[in-house]
Amino acid sequence: MHVIEVDSVQRWTEDLRHMTEVECMCVLQSKPIGVDEDAAGELIVSGAGAAS
Amino acid sequence: HVHYRMEASCLDLALEGERMCKMGDYRGGVSFFEAAMQVGTEDLQVLSAIYSQLGNAYFHLQDYSKALEFHHHDLTLTRTTGDRLGEAKASGNLGNTLKVLGRFDEAVVCCQRHLDIARELDDMVGQARAFYNFGNVFHAKGKSICWSGAEPGDFPDEVMIALKKAAEYYEANLCIVKELGDRAAQGRTYGNLGNTYYLLGNFRDAMASHEQRLLIAKEFGDRSAERRAYCNLGNACIFLGDFEKAAEHYRKALQLARQLKDLAVEAQACYSLGNTYTLLQDYERAIDYHLKHLIIAQDLNDRIGEGRACWSLGNAHTALGNHDQAMHFAEKHLELSKETGDRTGELTARMNVSDLQMVLGLSYSTNNSVLSESKDIDYDLHGARPKMSRRHSMENLELLKLTPDKISTQK
């Protein structure tokens, strides 16, 4: 009988080697028009996750 | 007099566009900005802001070629007017857009200009942002290069060089944001730095970074970030061989995933736990978590995940000597592999089924549907197990396409 119980774990660890839970990696800067703006100037961009 | 009315109307339209974007209605925002441009303005500061906000709105809408167009307009305009701060911002935004489009070399030029101007203006916040953008460009560049090996040593040199540069830039950013006392920015950077170290195979430093990320996430009550940190910590522990600690981190990630009501990440945590308990040779627990994973995969109609769950469950039951149960899952694995076109999975499942049939002493006729000869399977293996080639799973494909990264809920 083959030792098969490690196969699926091995595959998982191979994938895991590339897997990271990413932070937001696109921070855009804004140029507010409104003069009463609290010109924080940072925009966190949403979008499709690149869960790698 | 008429001219004044026109001015007001351009500004009003632009302000309405800005308000709509703030509300998250980027489509509406774009139409108001476009209308404002139609009217036109002689105030070049306002025009620059319109270009910039249009670029950002299109970025949010994932229309990157349009985003590129407007950030480029903004860059040209700010250069013409000699607005250095405006040019720095435009360069940063343009760099981000080029990065998402996979044009890394051009993105680097933009980051450098952003950094140069920030230095010239003695703008520390700007320098920190430029370093962060730089880090992200190199991180994305490293990830975008298709690698085939799974071991750290197998990553191509090009990948390692890009990731090392990313780490250097994140470290430079960290120095400044620490100085500035900007905890939110530190949290983001620690997370990215931890991931970069991890990809470099530097698991100890990865853990140290993710521990800092975890601390800051807790400070902000940012449960998504906390879950991400636990998951990243668990992964690093696996490669450090500390499976007990990995399980502990994954359990916390699972708890948070449940609180956040995010089924996909809950499934992922269960799958990680199932595999971790297999490594710990605690097969009962492994089965428990793989079953949880299976149920969610079925709920989410994730056939690939379901296949993996069945494969894992078959193996865990085999390890325990529950051959009937193992057979049930091996057959299910075979069925799902065929359905998803996973050739390696299909081959593995066939062999598991035949192994189990030998154990169970079943004749081939009992389940001829399962073992019907398949002409298109390469039997040139002389009974050897197929060498596991990398499966192009959903996650691996994610590495190849450049999408903007996950939203950070941290403010």
Side-chain angles (χ1 to χ4, degrees), chain B residues 223-352:
Chain B
R223 288 189 297 178
S224 291
E226 205 183 321
R227 185 203 62 78
R228 288 197 300 272
Y230 279 125
C231 183
N232 287 324
L233 282 164
N235 296 351
C237 286
I238 293 290
F239 290 101
L240 289 167
D242 190 348
F243 306 141
E244 289 282 2
K245 194 83 191 149
E248 203 178 303
H249 288 310
Y250 287 143
R251 277 198 305 269
K252 284 179 174 152
L254 176 59
Q255 204 178 3
L256 284 156
R258 284 174 177 159
Q259 282 176 22
L260 294 160
K261 298 196 179 2
D262 187 332
L263 272 180
V265 297
E266 185 180 334
Q268 185 64 41
C270 290
Y271 184 55
S272 297
L273 278 162
N275 285 299
T276 306
Y277 282 117
T278 303
L279 287 168
L280 288 163
Q281 297 183 315
D282 183 344
Y283 298 109
E284 280 90 354
R285 266 186 167 163
I287 287 167
D288 181 42
Y289 282 113
H290 281 307
L291 275 173
K292 287 185 167 91
H293 172 220
L294 176 64
I295 290 161
I296 301 172
Q298 285 169 340
D299 279 352
L300 296 174
N301 203 13
D302 168 12
R303 309 299 268 172
I304 291 172
E306 211 181 318
R308 270 185 287 176
C310 290
W311 184 20
S312 305
L313 282 160
N315 291 344
H317 280 297
T318 299
L320 288 173
N322 306 334
H323 298 300
D324 286 328
Q325 287 276 35
M327 180 61 102
H328 165 76
F329 286 113
E331 286 177 348
K332 197 111 183 63
H333 178 215
L334 178 55
E335 200 182 302
L336 287 155
S337 301
K338 281 185 190 166
E339 191 190 317
T340 56
D342 173 3
R343 303 303 304 263
T344 311
E346 192 182 331
L347 209 47
T348 306
R350 273 178 198 283
M351 279 189 286
N352 287 344

Side-chain angles (χ1 to χ4, degrees), chain A residues 1-35 37-38 40-52, chain B residues 18 22 48-49 53 56 59 74 86 89 93 96 99 114 129 132 136 143 147 149-150 152 188 192 195 198-199 201 213 227-228 232 235 275 315 352 355 359 385 388 390-391 395-396 399 404-408:
Chain A
M1 178 109 198
H2 299 283
V3 184
I4 53 176
E5 61 269 18
V6 295
D7 285 2
S8 51
V9 177
Q10 191 185 326
R11 166 61 51 79
W12 172 68
T13 54
E14 281 172 15
D15 288 346
L16 201 68
R17 191 57 197 88
H18 299 171
M19 297 260 292
T20 50
E21 291 275 348
V22 295
E23 299 293 324
C24 163
M25 290 181 75
C26 289
V27 182
L28 299 173
Q29 295 175 86
S30 64
K31 295 187 178 181
I33 301 167
V35 281
E37 293 298 329
D38 52 335
E42 274 202 352
L43 293 169
I44 306 292
V45 178
S46 62
S52 50
Chain B
E18 183 175 79
K22 268 223 169 80
S48 165
Q53 292 201 38
N56 288 344
F59 194 106
D74 188 28
K89 278 189 179 183
N93 291 338
N96 264 302
K99 177 196 70 181
H114 185 189
R129 281 181 189 155
Y132 186 73
N136 289 341
K143 275 209 261 184
W147 52 54
R188 276 202 300 266
N192 288 339
N195 288 336
Y198 176 86
L199 292 171
R213 206 289 161 258
R227 185 203 62 78
R228 288 197 300 272
N232 287 324
N235 296 351
N275 285 299
N315 291 344
N352 287 344
D355 284 349
V359 172
R385 299 221 152 264
M388 295 296 175
R390 290 204 54 73
R391 188 193 64 245
E395 310 90 85
N396 295 326
L399 295 171
D405 301 299
K406 267 185 193 146
I407 186 164
S408 155

